[in-house]
Structures are given as C-alpha cells and as structure tokens.
Amino acid sequence: MGTHSIESYFGCFNYGFKGKYLMTATRRADASSNFGKNNKWGYFPSFSGAWVLSKESFMDDFLGVLNYAKLRAGYGEVVNQYIRGCAYCASLRSITTVYGTCFSQANIANRSN
C-alpha cells in the first residue's frame, strides 16, 4: 500500500437552550498525501439539531410510559482517503423522492497524484 501522511483539524460548536433545544456544528479539515495534487485539503462539515420532547409540558401525560424522548436530525460529510486508485473520488449526495432515497453525484473527482 505504500507510505502516506495525513493532517487533520476540527472545530466543534455545541449550543443548548433550556436543555431541550440542542444544536451541534462541526467542521473537519483533512490534508492527505493520497489526495490529488490540485486539492490536498478537503473540508467536511456536519450539523445536527435535537428537540428533547420529554421536557415539553404536552408530554407530561406520557411520562409514566416514556421517561425520555428526543427527536434528532443531522447531516455530515465524510471522505475515505484509502480508496485504492481513487484518491479523492467524487462524492454522492442523497435525495429523498416519492420512490425512496436516491443518490446523485455531488462533485467531480480531483485528479490523482
């Protein structure tokens, strides 16, 4: 497989309001010797939000049956620098349709080293 190097940084921001509305945002930056020479750095964001339903007053009637409920949604991007022969390949994005989840190309691949 050979030798390679990687350098990574990330920053994270967490926010909560009243203990029931939660948000997280993260951004990761990766540089890899496996990425193409025209694009050594990749930037990968992620976001998530949550609502703790069990802390709402309308849930008081359900607390005997259900003691904790949280609704959460998120989005994030990742990369795999170890794909052989495809250093920084094109990525896919998911699209929700009436027929289910589909995938389409999100970007054009970078030329390899």
Side-chain angles (χ1 to χ4, degrees):
M1 184 153 191
T3 13
H4 64 273
S5 61
I6 187 167
E7 183 177 353
S8 297
Y9 300 95
F10 79 94
C12 184
F13 173 78
N14 291 306
Y15 179 75
F17 182 70
K18 295 186 176 183
K20 57 184 171 181
Y21 308 109
L22 311 170
M23 182 185 83
T24 299
T26 303
R27 180 162 172 151
R28 195 178 89 228
D30 288 341
S32 174
S33 58
N34 289 342
F35 292 169
K37 64 182 176 181
N38 297 329
N39 195 358
K40 287 292 182 193
W41 283 91
Y43 301 95
F44 310 100
S46 68
F47 308 94
S48 68
W51 177 24
V52 182
L53 295 168
S54 52
K55 292 196 174 188
E56 297 290 351
S57 60
F58 65 82
M59 292 293 290
D60 289 345
D61 295 338
F62 300 102
L63 290 180
V65 178
L66 186 69
N67 63 358
Y68 188 81
K70 179 170 37 173
L71 182 64
R72 182 176 21 188
Y75 167 83
E77 294 180 6
V78 296
V79 68
N80 184 350
Q81 67 161 339
Y82 297 109
I83 299 173
R84 184 172 222 150
C86 185
Y88 205 74
C89 293
S91 62
L92 299 176
R93 68 173 160 245
S94 64
I95 301 170
T96 305
T97 70
V98 294
Y99 303 108
T101 302
C102 300
F103 295 91
S104 70
Q105 187 171 340
N107 68 319
I108 306 298
N110 188 25
R111 294 177 189 245
S112 61
N113 298 341

